[in-house]
Amino acid sequence: MTATPTATPTATPTETPTETPTTPAIEGLPLPVALTPEAGAILLRLARAVVAATASDPPRTADLAGALPPDPPTVLLASAAAFVTLHQDGELRGCVGCLATDEPLWETVVSAAVSAASRDPRFTPVTEPEVPSLTIDVSVLGPAVPLGDPAAFRPGLDGIIVERGGRRGLLLPEVATDQGWGTREMLEMTCRKAGLGRDAWRDPGTRVLVFRTARVSETDASR
């Protein structure tokens, strides 16, 4: 097993360890997430180091000393939800995150990277020869706010969470852009991801939340 310093296990988007906390926002819209280029670069280095260590044979403990500076940016020390996404040849290879966490952001990303490489139930674990061909993205999630009016949802800008009866589904903002989906498709597909009917978002007993992200990608960093 790959050891990570004090990192907690992550939850896939359809698991519900706790109810998603909400934060008031201006006019009911989710607030943007601030992430400096320096902090984003550190998170990408951390994620790659952890994915490489997790995929090694046998798995080894990631050496984070070269990725995390002794005095990291303050944003990395604050608690925040995050997802790590892996692509290979343009295709999804793993995506796992953590919504409920009291850990510093950098530890959340470390834990999510382990899970994206080895615990996404949709894929076999990443192998060591695959690591050089992977492209890694890190998405830092801002506080979620209730979506009072579906017409206020902004595809490609807002992510979405659907919760009901112990089930939860989440789609990141870029899914709408990648799939060409509008508001209705995002609502319906998030319900399906939660294991609910497509129209479950219309039910008053269903909790629908939206959030913003700051997303950094190795693809952007290489340009």
Side-chain angles (χ1 to χ4, degrees):
M1 297 293 292
T2 301
T4 55
T6 66
T8 55
T10 60
T12 61
T14 53
E15 294 176 346
T16 315
T18 60
E19 188 176 73
T20 304
T22 61
T23 298
I26 300 172
E27 298 180 354
L29 296 176
L31 298 172
V33 181
L35 191 68
T36 64
E38 178 191 9
I42 292 171
L43 292 178
L44 287 174
R45 289 199 300 269
L46 283 171
R48 177 157 289 279
V50 171
V51 167
T54 303
S56 64
D57 187 17
R60 55 181 171 79
T61 300
D63 181 7
L64 304 182
L68 186 69
D71 186 20
T74 304
V75 66
L76 301 187
L77 303 178
S79 61
F83 275 71
V84 171
T85 304
L86 311 177
H87 285 94
Q88 185 178 48
D89 298 326
E91 299 293 329
L92 184 66
R93 186 63 179 85
C95 180
V96 178
C98 183
L99 290 181
T101 176
D102 294 324
E103 302 292 342
L105 172 57
W106 74 267
E107 289 191 18
T108 301
V109 169
V110 165
S111 186
V114 171
S115 293
S118 63
R119 300 174 192 161
D120 189 327
R122 299 168 293 180
F123 303 96
T124 58
V126 172
T127 61
E128 190 169 5
E130 291 181 278
V131 173
S133 66
L134 296 177
T135 300
I136 300 176
D137 300 344
V138 175
S139 297
V140 180
L141 280 62
V145 301
L147 179 64
D149 179 7
F153 181 75
R154 300 164 295 180
L157 185 62
D158 300 330
I160 190 166
I161 302 169
V162 170
E163 297 178 337
R164 193 179 79 188
R167 295 177 179 270
R168 176 166 65 196
L170 179 149
L171 289 178
L172 295 171
E174 55 264 31
V175 173
T177 303
D178 293 344
Q179 301 296 327
W181 290 345
T183 297
R184 181 166 180 171
E185 291 90 346
M186 283 290 285
L187 286 164
E188 290 180 347
M189 296 309 292
T190 308
C191 288
R192 286 191 62 185
K193 194 160 189 179
L196 303 171
R198 283 178 175 265
D199 291 333
W201 59 274
R202 301 180 184 273
D203 191 317
T206 300
R207 196 167 181 241
V208 181
L209 310 168
V210 290
F211 59 90
R212 295 278 298 274
T213 66
R215 179 171 174 260
V216 290
S217 173
E218 289 183 334
T219 301
D220 297 333
S222 65
R223 292 175 182 172

